[in-house]
């Protein structure tokens, strides 16, 4: 049996990027609201707090980080 991929249609996001924290308010497809707070800068874990937070809310795997330019050949 094949399981269809999850649908992310109907989600809405509002982002507040601050100097210390990035706050995300999300409306799920069923209309319920949820919030998420992340450090605005956390380069060891993610490049962009808003994108990372949305991926977490959608239960998606973290985006893969590219190695620093100095280590690429």
């Amino acid at each position: 049996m094949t399981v269809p991929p999850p649908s992310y249609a109907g989600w809405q996001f509002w982002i507040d990027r601050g100097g210390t924290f990035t706050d995300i308010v999300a409306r799920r497809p069923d209309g319920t609201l949820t919030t998420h707070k992340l450090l605005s800068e956390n380069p060891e874990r993610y490049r962009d707090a808003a994108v990372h937070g949305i991926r977490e809310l959608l239960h998606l795997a973290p985006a893969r980080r590219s190695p620093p330019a100095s280590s690429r050949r």
Side-chain angles (χ1 to χ4, degrees):
M1 179 165 135
T2 304
V3 177
S7 172
Y8 303 111
W11 280 84
Q12 293 179 312
F13 298 96
W14 295 270
I15 312 291
D16 176 20
R17 291 180 191 263
T20 303
F21 291 103
T22 294
D23 297 293
I24 303 169
V25 176
R27 177 177 290 138
R28 294 182 173 113
D30 67 5
T32 60
L33 296 176
T34 187
T35 61
H36 196 38
K37 180 182 284 272
L38 298 98
L39 286 171
S40 292
E41 298 293 327
N42 194 349
E44 295 81 28
R45 292 199 54 222
Y46 43 80
R47 269 189 211 168
D48 184 279
V51 171
H52 186 78
I54 290 170
R55 292 184 67 82
E56 287 186 337
L57 287 166
L58 296 175
H59 302 288
L60 296 173
R64 299 188 85 179
R65 290 187 49 81
S66 300
S70 61
S71 66
R72 290 188 210 149
R73 295 184 183 239

